[in-house]
Structures are given as C-alpha cells and as structure tokens.
Amino acid sequence: MTSILHDHEHEQTPAVKIAKAAKSAFEASQLIPPAERVKALHEIRKELVNAKDDILVANLRDCLAAQAEVDAGRMSSSLLKRLDLTKGDKWDSLLQGITDVANLPDPTGIVTYASELDDNLELYRVSCPIGVLLVIFEARPEVVVNIAALAIKSGNAAILKGGKESNDTTQLLAQAIQKALSRTSVPSTYIQAIQTRAEVSALLALDKYIDLVIPRGSNSLVRNIQNNTRIPVMGHAEGLCSIFVDESADVEKAVRVVVDSKTDYPAACNSVETLILHENVLNTIWPTIAQALLSSNVQLLCDSPSLFALHTLSPAPENISTHVHPSTPQSYITEHLTLTLSVLTVPDLSSAIKHINAHSSHHTDCILTENEDSASAFCRGVDSAGTFVNASTRFADGFRYGFGTEVGISTGKIHARGPVGLEGLVIYKYMLRGKGEKGHVVGEFGIEKGKKKFKHVPIETKTAPY
Amino acid sequence: MTSILHDHEHEQTPAVKIAKAAKSAFEASQLIPPAERVKALHEIRKELVNAKDDILVANLRDCLAAQAEVDAGRMSSSLLKRLDLTKGDKWDSLLQGITDVANLPDPTGIVTYASELDDNLELYRVSCPIGVLLVIFEARPEVVVNIAALAIKSGNAAILKGGKESNDTTQLLAQAIQKALSRTSVPSTYIQAIQTRAEVSALLALDKYIDLVIPRGSNSLVRNIQNNTRIPVMGHAEGLCSIFVDESADVEKAVRVVVDSKTDYPAACNSVETLILHENVLNTIWPTIAQALLSSNVQLLCDSPSLFALHTLSPAPENISTHVHPSTPQSYITEHLTLTLSVLTVPDLSSAIKHINAHSSHHTDCILTENEDSASAFCRGVDSAGTFVNASTRFADGFRYGFGTEVGISTGKIHARGPVGLEGLVIYKYMLRGKGEKGHVVGEFGIEKGKKKFKHVPIETKTAPY
C-alpha cells in the first residue's frame, strides 16, 4: 500500500532536492540515539585525517587563485590569510574542535518543564533539535567543519554555503564529512554544501523544509537575507560596542578595561568602538585613559568637550597631533574594527543609556563605575545582549562564557541572544503521556460541578519519557 | 549639553512616531521595579470598571454595524457573536483575566545560567523582556486587554491592531488602558492601539523599533506578514492535528480520545482533522471508532481501505449513507474546523510519522498505542510542538498545560513552540560583573605559560545581580 498523496507543491529543482534531502535526513535522525551522533563526529575526524592531503591541495588551489586576486588588488590580504588552512595550528585545531564538540553535554532530551495534569496524565517539555539549518558564512573554510560538528551534535541537519573564494576547500571538506557519515547511522545528506548564491536564493524560498537561516557575515548580508525570506533568521551581525565611563569610575580599572577592549583584537565584533564619558571625568580620568590609548597607537575621534580637554593639557599628550581628530555624527554609528575609537561626552548616566540604546548594535556594552546603583541601572537599562560592569567587552564570547564553542553571536532579540552555543540550536516539544486505563479526554474537565479540575503538580525529573 | 546626534534615519510619519514612542516607553520601563507593572495592571482593571458604560456603548455601535453586515450577507453571524462584549460572562472574565495575569510569577529577572569566569568575575544570564511587540488579531475585542496585561506583566511595550469590525470597542479599551497607565510609573504609550492596515504595513518596516510581530489569525494573515517584514514573526497559525491508531491501540481509549479530539470543540485549532489508521486495525478497532464518530454526527472522508472496511460491515453502520464519503488528496491538507474528519490508512508506524511530518501543521499530533516502543518512536519522530500518547489533542492549550494563560500557540520552530505563556515573551541578557580591584581584561587569559585560565565554576543563584 502506498500513500495516495504526492507532493505537488514544489517542482524538483536542485534546491528543492537539497532541501527535501536535508529534511528527510533530519526526520530520520530523530529516531537514532544521540550516542550515534557522537560516533559520527569521531568518524568525521578520522575521515578528515585520511583526506588531509587532498583537502590541503584543494586549499592550495583556492589560495593561489586568491593570491592572484590580491595581486590584482581585488581582494584583501587578510581575506587570503583567513583562507589558508595550513597557517599556524589551524588544521590541528579544526580536528580538536570536532573532539571538543563531541565531548560537550547533549543539548537534546533535557526536560525543562514537567507537570502532572491529572492522575496518570504527564506533560513533559523536552529539548529537541530545530530541524534544518541553512548556514551562510564567509571565507574561513574551517567553519564548514565547526558548523557541521555543532549541527550533528545538536541533532540538526545543515546546508552550508561558504565564501566563493574557498569553494574547492569547502567541497572537499563536505565530501569527507559525507563519506564519514555514510559509514554511520546518521544519513549522509545530514550535511550538504552548496556553492552558488543562486542556490541560496532558491533555498530561502523553501520555508517548508528549512527551519532557520544563520548568516555569519556583514550587516548587509544579514539584512539582505532578512529581506528575502519567510524563514526565521538568527543574525550574527556587527558589533558596535560601547564603554561608559561613569563619574565614579576608578582610573586604573578604566585604563585597563578600555585599552584591552580596544586593542586586544580590534577586528573582533566584541571590541569597543565608542567611549562615552560622563562630563565630570573630562578633566580627571579622561586624560589618563586618552594617554594610555594614544600610547597604544589608538586613533581618537573626539566630540568637542573631549577634544578640548585634551588640547588644554600641559604638557600635551604624546601623539596628539597625529592621533586625535574631531568626530562626526557618522563616527558614532561606525564599526571601526581597527585601532580607532569614537569618543562622546554626556551629562549623565541616563543620557549614556539613551545614546547606547539608539546607536549600539545591542551586542555588548560596558559601564565603568564604583557605584552599585549606577551599575544596576546600566545593566537593566541598556538593551543589549551583554551588559558588563568593570570588565572588557572582549569577554563576550562563547568560549569565555563557558559554552565550549559558539555558532556565532546573535544581536537579535528572540530565541538566542549573545554568544550562541549548542543551546541556541535546540527548541523543545511538549510530550503528553496518558497512562490511565481509559484514554484521557478534555470533555471531563471544567468548572461545572462533577467535572474534573487540572492538578498541575510539578514532576521532578530531568529525563525525557522515551 | 545635548547629544550632537540626531535621528535622520526615519521621517516622523505617524507610524514612526508610534513605534518610537513604544520603544522609549519600553526602554524607560526597564528601570521601573516589576512590582510597579503589577500595580499598573490593578489600575487598568479599576479604570475598565469606571469606563464600562462607555465601552459597552461603543461595543453596541460595533455590533449594530456588524449586524447590518450580517443582514446583508457580508459577515458571518459567528463573527458578530465574537464581537459582543455583553455575551455571557465575557466582561467579568475580561476583568478576572487581568487579576489572573497580575498574580502570575514575574517571568523577568530569573537567572538561568551563572558562572564564575575568574576570581571576582561573575556572569549571569538573566531573563528580560523582548522589547516592543506588534500584535495583530481578529474580531474579539477583549484580546486587547489580554495582550495588554501579558505585555505589561512581562515588561514588553505593545502596539495592538484588532479587527476593523471592533474598532470602536478597541479604541475605548485602549484609551482606558492608557488613562490607567498615566496614573502609574509605567509610561502611557506602553500600550498603543492602531486602526488601519496601512499603519500595520508601515510598522512592519520599522525593525529598528519593533522586536517581534505576533499575528493571531488565519494562515494567510501569518504568511502575508512573514513575506513583508524583516522583524521576527511568532506565528499563531492553523492547527492540522492528526491521531494515529497504532495496531496495538486499545479500543476503548481510541474511541474516547478520537471522539473528544473531534467533537469537544471542532472550531478550535487543537481539534483533530486527520485520523490515520494502521492497516491492521481496519477490521478490528476502526469499525467501533467509526460508529462512535457517526453517532456523534461526524462526517468521515475516507480513503479506499477505510471506506471499504465500513461498507462491508453487516449490519451497516448508522448514518453511513449520509456521513461517509470518499476522501481526496485535498482532504489531508484541510483544517476542517467542523464535524468533519479525514481518514487515511497506512501500512506501519513509520509511514504514519512520514505522513504527519509532511502534512500536519506541526501543532499537535497523537498516537493511540499500548506499545511503549511505538509511543517513544512517535514522540521523537513526529516533528510537532506537541506529541501525545493516548490523550486528546484538545489538551494542547496554555491553561491546561498550567501556564495560567497564553499569548497563542506557536507552530514555528524557534524561540517558543506550542502554547506560549509569559515565558514566550521574554528573552535574556548576559550581565557580567567585575568585582576585582583592577578591572577585568581579556589580555591576561590564554593558553600560553603565565596566562590565566578561565574558571567556569557554576554559581548557585536564582537572583539577578541588580
């Protein structure tokens, strides 16, 4: 007997085939014990070791093509550097990353709510994978392996699109992953790689099969995807982080935290881009912070009060003529990603909070203060994924937070916010188990006399009823 | 001193004014203790009691206009019935609903992860409101009050758009709410009502100010909104629920659960629409279930095997000539919302799971079985918000689940799934508190010798650090 139903909804275009294969792989995998997914991760590691030479040859091809682009002035050399899998310990960390993810606790099958609704009628809210992920990222080809590992560990199927510069490497990495999966009970179409933007566009229309899009890249990439799909998007967008120096800030803490936030790794999304000064620190702490930044080769884009405070100092700070410039309104909405910092003066804490809420990217913002009330107001009032007190914005990171690894940092406001680990790749379902002798019906409950009332007694368990 | 920055991004259209007012109301409210929000709810209840006469007069105007539409055959009488605030105990339950929500536990300020990253460096993940909600719903005007109460309790600002039939009532309800808020520390623009679709369209473009759209209505409303906004949408869409009768099902349980799921309230989204039969029950349990459904006046749309099984019975079941018809492929993708049930036969559990995953709306699906392995496979394999064993699909409801109330039932796969209570209206932020004497910097950590390692020691607390 076969089903009388056929799928007339979508033609079998290549994108539909890919999406349907991913969805069936996901659905089939739900019946496989989580331990099998961990086995698959070890198998992938083995296969990557086997295929190392071929992968590095493909990577060399990508790098040579990229070098030609760099020579022609059409690509930045930093992009080329990110492409090269042989740089430093990249290959070994790629392999280690798989083992690390395999060893993380299983995020699925966790009971987060359980209640006895009636005698023998038990409700469980159980964490489970989301389904099919479409992940779009830029040049670094090792991301294929990271994302594949995270997807498999959390029980999600994934379709991956890397940067076109890394196409050859990405394809070989994906082939190795599929080859490894074909030796396991996890379907080999669990992880698929695609190559073109046209495929991405076609997939963005298939909300029947794809459950979540994760773009990792520029703000414009994220917005472009959000504009062109009904599928939910978990945006890994820009980081326009700020630090507010409150009037009660400690000078030593201020210098350490600001310098670290700006200079530890300026190209990272969690580096600080705007320094906001309480007007009462203009002639007290600000000169010391400014001198420390200037000594670290930081360029300062200052508003009038902060500029004036530096120009009236005697002796004049080192580098002032080359490194201190007036800011423009544009300065405060720019993610510099370099050793440049915008500086703004405000009359009070409340103005700082308002400025941050209106201009920051809701990633991570910090207050330097010795006043507990100010700390508290800042942490509650600033509407960002991270609100920090006397600590570098650079701490905003999945590894540093203790998640083991991260899919990205979400600047969105629903589902997952800030550094997203395995927990951000699961959702839950409600499992209701009727264990009574007669089957459980709603018609027996009600407010009328003789009707049953719901018990709603919490069940103490962490274990799913399967 | 004023900020040198101005908002050039959006013209001050009416929609922008509304959205900006909502965002500032939200931001201002973050510094108000949660107890003030509860006070505001009590104030709203008082004001509604004061304004009762005016509201009911406006409601009468809406009802008379609707009656004219019904008489002209342009509106259904059930829509009119839903409009009328004087029907039964509607007004009293509206007031009681506010008190109930006020009495629920505060969903904000709850610590869901806390870790000591280093000596004196403490990370807290604290639940907090999402921001500004745009809620679009259909005729029932009391939804304005329900949603306003849920939004205020969870700390979110809300912009509400009701059905155009209830415009007068909605406006007066919203005015009473704003009047009540103006006597509290919660800004009165925390809850705003809009009247036109044009305003909705304009607001859907303002992702800078609006954080989540919640459409409560038809599938086409939800899809239309998803197609026209970058803002995340929490869809309260259709319910195409199924029940699978496994070969090991108990006949008494099957009859009770299927009849309740279909007949308890056929117009509800959690009523069953498709009955899936294991082929081995065609001549055993199926005739008894069918007879019970036919006696309850249910129309059956049957595939060939299930039809044949009924037609070969002797004596012929009651109502068979008027209530049993052949199904079409369309039957299995239709949300009947009436006393009609589609019936499909499958060869095994795995085919049932596949059918459900391909055709159900991922709302709630049930298996009738005495076999624990089948129950387990069904609950894991069916990708729906609710997977039930031997219990009516009608249990899928926020009140029955024990959430006190619900915003709606989400058939989406991220953020919140199934019945959505207050928990679905919050997200979290990471608060990092540096309490050391020198300010905490990332540059001191690393794998190199002499560098610090992260401690990642769990902190046992439920209390936010503010």
Side-chain angles (χ1 to χ4, degrees):
Chain A
M1 198 180 322
T2 56
S3 167
I4 61 166
L5 299 166
H6 302 283
D7 183 357
H8 297 291
E9 201 171 319
H10 294 292
E11 276 182 81
Q12 293 291 323
T13 62
V16 171
K17 273 186 204 156
I18 291 168
K20 285 181 83 160
K23 192 66 150 192
S24 358
F26 162 66
E27 287 172 358
S29 75
Q30 293 312 290
L31 297 174
I32 299 169
E36 295 292 315
R37 301 202 305 260
V38 174
K39 262 196 223 162
L41 291 178
H42 294 305
E43 209 56 52
I44 288 172
R45 187 190 159 122
K46 260 191 246 164
E47 185 56 36
L48 288 172
V49 172
N50 288 344
K52 179 177 177 183
D53 291 351
D54 291 347
I55 293 167
L56 293 186
V57 168
N59 187 239
L60 182 62
R61 273 199 305 276
D62 280 336
C63 288
L64 289 174
Q67 182 65 58
E69 293 293 299
V70 173
D71 294 345
R74 287 189 296 260
M75 189 190 281
S76 72
S77 56
S78 68
L79 195 68
L80 171 60
K81 223 159 93 186
R82 294 167 67 196
L83 205 55
D84 188 352
L85 273 187
T86 61
K87 270 270 178 296
D89 62 351
K90 252 197 200 177
W91 179 261
D92 290 335
S93 1
L94 178 155
L95 296 179
Q96 185 56 39
I98 302 172
T99 312
D100 290 348
V101 170
N103 291 338
L104 286 173
D106 184 6
T108 69
I110 296 167
V111 174
T112 55
Y113 179 84
S115 174
E116 194 184 19
L117 305 191
D118 187 20
D119 293 337
N120 291 312
L121 184 61
E122 298 171 358
L123 179 71
Y124 298 86
R125 183 169 68 197
V126 184
S127 69
C128 63
I130 292 170
V132 176
L133 315 177
L134 171 60
V135 188
I136 300 151
F137 50 93
E138 288 173 344
R140 293 188 301 132
E142 68 270 29
V143 172
V144 175
V145 180
N146 298 343
I147 299 282
L150 289 165
I152 292 169
K153 177 76 189 189
S154 58
N156 293 284
I159 303 170
L160 310 173
K161 161 78 172 70
K164 66 175 185 317
E165 307 76 21
S166 62
N167 253 347
D168 276 13
T169 318
T170 305
Q171 288 308 307
L172 279 204
L173 288 170
Q175 273 169 31
I177 292 169
Q178 294 204 327
K179 195 170 170 197
L181 291 179
S182 69
R183 296 195 296 263
T184 73
S185 53
V186 177
S188 64
T189 49
Y190 214 62
I191 304 294
Q192 299 176 85
I194 55 172
Q195 302 201 41
T196 67
R197 287 197 190 175
E199 286 171 301
V200 171
S201 300
L203 288 169
L204 289 177
L206 302 179
D207 60 328
K208 181 173 176 183
Y209 304 112
I210 297 171
D211 298 297
L212 182 63
V213 184
I214 307 179
R216 296 173 46 137
S218 66
N219 218 15
S220 66
L221 171 76
V222 176
R223 287 182 85 80
N224 184 32
I225 286 170
Q226 287 171 325
N227 280 339
N228 287 291
T229 188
R230 270 194 299 266
I231 307 171
V233 177
M234 187 151 76
H236 173 73
E238 64 183 351
L240 216 157
C241 305
S242 347
I243 297 178
F244 171 57
V245 186
D246 188 33
E247 54 181 336
S248 75
D250 173 270
V251 61
E252 188 191 357
K253 293 183 190 176
V255 167
R256 278 168 51 86
V257 169
V258 174
V259 170
D260 185 81
S261 298
K262 184 69 249 180
T263 67
D264 185 59
Y265 185 15
C269 64
N270 56 11
S271 291
V272 68
E273 305 294 7
T274 302
L275 184 68
I276 306 172
L277 304 170
H278 190 293
E279 59 181 355
N280 292 351
V281 308
L282 279 174
N283 301 308
T284 56
I285 308 177
W286 167 230
T288 316
I289 301 174
Q291 189 56 72
L293 289 166
L294 293 169
S295 306
S296 302
N297 199 28
V298 175
Q299 298 276 336
L300 301 175
L301 306 178
C302 299
D303 67 347
S304 310
S306 60
L307 196 67
F308 184 77
L310 297 187
H311 277 293
T312 49
L313 286 178
S314 166
E318 186 193 355
N319 290 340
I320 187 164
S321 58
T322 53
H323 284 59
V324 178
H325 316 277
S327 63
T328 66
Q330 193 61 31
S331 308
Y332 303 100
I333 51 172
T334 301
E335 190 184 13
H336 303 295
L337 297 173
T338 57
L339 284 175
T340 299
L341 183 65
S342 310
V343 184
L344 180 76
T345 312
V346 296
D348 51 29
L349 170 61
S350 149
S351 307
I353 294 175
K354 282 202 181 109
H355 174 86
I356 292 171
N357 284 338
H359 299 87
S360 101
S361 64
H362 308 288
H363 183 302
T364 302
D365 299 283
C366 167
I367 183 172
L368 295 165
T369 187
E370 296 302 302
N371 180 315
E372 191 47 41
D373 289 343
S374 302
S376 177
F378 184 90
C379 286
R380 290 161 60 204
V382 169
D383 184 23
S384 294
T387 53
F388 289 11
V389 180
N390 296 337
S392 169
T393 55
R394 290 271 301 135
F395 282 107
D397 167 278
F399 169 73
R400 289 170 196 151
Y401 277 10
F403 305 162
T405 182
E406 69 180 33
V407 185
I409 295 190
S410 165
T411 51
K413 301 283 288 283
I414 68 161
H415 189 71
R417 202 178 188 197
V420 180
L422 284 172
E423 264 188 71
L425 295 181
V426 300
I427 181 70
Y428 49 75
K429 68 207 292 189
Y430 288 94
M431 297 187 176
L432 182 64
R433 290 295 183 110
K435 299 178 169 178
E437 288 187 2
K438 289 176 147 190
H440 298 262
V441 298
V442 160
E444 293 178 346
F445 293 81
I447 48 166
E448 301 88 347
K449 215 184 140 191
K451 293 272 189 174
K452 288 191 187 186
K453 307 274 169 287
F454 284 95
K455 288 177 68 177
H456 294 148
V457 177
I459 301 171
E460 297 299 332
T461 179
K462 293 278 163 205
T463 316
Y466 59 73
Chain B
M1 200 179 324
T2 56
S3 167
I4 60 166
L5 299 166
H6 304 282
D7 183 357
H8 298 292
E9 202 171 318
H10 295 292
E11 276 183 81
Q12 293 290 324
T13 62
V16 171
K17 274 186 202 154
I18 291 167
K20 285 182 82 160
K23 194 64 151 194
S24 356
F26 162 68
E27 287 171 358
S29 76
Q30 293 313 290
L31 297 175
I32 300 169
E36 295 292 316
R37 301 201 305 260
V38 173
K39 261 197 225 162
L41 292 178
H42 293 306
E43 208 56 53
I44 287 172
R45 186 189 160 125
K46 260 191 246 165
E47 185 56 36
L48 287 171
V49 171
N50 288 345
K52 181 177 176 183
D53 291 350
D54 291 348
I55 293 166
L56 292 186
V57 167
N59 187 238
L60 182 62
R61 273 199 306 275
D62 280 336
C63 288
L64 289 173
Q67 183 66 59
E69 293 293 300
V70 172
D71 294 344
R74 288 189 295 259
M75 191 190 279
S76 72
S77 56
S78 67
L79 195 66
L80 171 58
K81 223 160 93 187
R82 294 168 66 199
L83 205 56
D84 188 351
L85 271 187
T86 62
K87 271 269 179 295
D89 63 350
K90 251 196 200 178
W91 179 261
D92 290 335
S93 2
L94 177 156
L95 296 179
Q96 185 55 42
I98 301 171
T99 312
D100 290 348
V101 170
N103 291 338
L104 287 173
D106 184 6
T108 68
I110 297 166
V111 173
T112 56
Y113 178 85
S115 176
E116 195 185 17
L117 306 191
D118 188 19
D119 292 337
N120 291 312
L121 184 62
E122 299 172 356
L123 179 71
Y124 298 86
R125 182 169 68 198
V126 184
S127 69
C128 63
I130 292 170
V132 176
L133 315 177
L134 171 60
V135 188
I136 300 151
F137 51 94
E138 288 171 345
R140 292 187 303 131
E142 68 270 29
V143 172
V144 175
V145 180
N146 298 342
I147 298 283
L150 289 165
I152 292 169
K153 179 74 187 188
S154 58
N156 293 284
I159 302 169
L160 309 173
K161 161 77 172 68
K164 67 175 185 313
E165 307 76 21
S166 62
N167 253 347
D168 276 15
T169 319
T170 305
Q171 288 309 307
L172 278 204
L173 288 170
Q175 273 169 35
I177 292 169
Q178 293 203 329
K179 195 169 168 196
L181 291 179
S182 69
R183 296 196 295 263
T184 72
S185 53
V186 177
S188 64
T189 49
Y190 214 61
I191 304 295
Q192 299 176 86
I194 55 171
Q195 303 201 41
T196 67
R197 286 197 190 174
E199 285 170 303
V200 171
S201 300
L203 288 169
L204 289 177
L206 302 179
D207 61 327
K208 180 171 178 184
Y209 304 111
I210 297 171
D211 297 297
L212 182 63
V213 184
I214 306 179
R216 295 172 47 135
S218 67
N219 218 13
S220 66
L221 172 75
V222 176
R223 287 182 84 80
N224 184 32
I225 287 170
Q226 286 171 325
N227 281 339
N228 287 290
T229 188
R230 268 193 301 265
I231 307 170
V233 178
M234 187 151 76
H236 173 72
E238 65 184 350
L240 217 158
C241 305
S242 347
I243 296 179
F244 171 56
V245 186
D246 188 31
E247 55 180 335
S248 74
D250 173 89
V251 61
E252 188 190 358
K253 292 183 191 176
V255 168
R256 278 167 51 85
V257 169
V258 174
V259 171
D260 184 83
S261 298
K262 184 69 249 180
T263 67
D264 184 60
Y265 186 14
C269 65
N270 56 12
S271 291
V272 67
E273 305 294 6
T274 303
L275 185 68
I276 305 172
L277 304 170
H278 191 291
E279 60 181 357
N280 292 352
V281 308
L282 279 175
N283 301 307
T284 56
I285 307 177
W286 167 230
T288 316
I289 300 174
Q291 191 54 72
L293 289 166
L294 293 169
S295 306
S296 302
N297 199 29
V298 175
Q299 298 276 335
L300 301 175
L301 305 179
C302 299
D303 67 347
S304 310
S306 60
L307 196 66
F308 184 76
L310 297 187
H311 277 294
T312 50
L313 287 178
S314 166
E318 187 193 354
N319 289 340
I320 187 165
S321 59
T322 53
H323 284 59
V324 178
H325 315 278
S327 64
T328 65
Q330 192 62 31
S331 309
Y332 303 101
I333 50 171
T334 301
E335 189 184 13
H336 304 296
L337 297 174
T338 58
L339 284 175
T340 298
L341 183 65
S342 310
V343 184
L344 180 76
T345 312
V346 296
D348 52 28
L349 170 62
S350 149
S351 307
I353 294 175
K354 281 204 180 104
H355 175 86
I356 292 171
N357 284 338
H359 299 88
S360 99
S361 64
H362 309 288
H363 183 301
T364 302
D365 299 283
C366 168
I367 183 172
L368 295 165
T369 188
E370 296 302 303
N371 180 315
E372 192 47 42
D373 288 343
S374 303
S376 175
F378 185 90
C379 287
R380 290 162 58 204
V382 169
D383 183 24
S384 294
T387 54
F388 288 12
V389 180
N390 296 335
S392 170
T393 54
R394 292 269 300 134
F395 282 106
D397 167 277
F399 169 72
R400 289 171 196 150
Y401 278 9
F403 304 162
T405 183
E406 69 180 32
V407 186
I409 294 189
S410 165
T411 51
K413 301 283 288 284
I414 67 160
H415 188 71
R417 201 178 186 197
V420 180
L422 284 172
E423 264 188 72
L425 295 181
V426 299
I427 181 71
Y428 50 76
K429 69 208 290 189
Y430 289 93
M431 296 186 178
L432 182 63
R433 291 294 184 113
K435 301 178 168 177
E437 289 186 3
K438 289 177 147 188
H440 298 262
V441 298
V442 161
E444 292 178 346
F445 293 81
I447 47 166
E448 301 87 348
K449 214 183 141 191
K451 293 272 188 173
K452 287 192 188 186
K453 307 276 168 287
F454 284 96
K455 288 177 69 177
H456 294 148
V457 177
I459 301 171
E460 298 299 332
T461 180
K462 294 277 164 207
T463 315
Y466 59 71

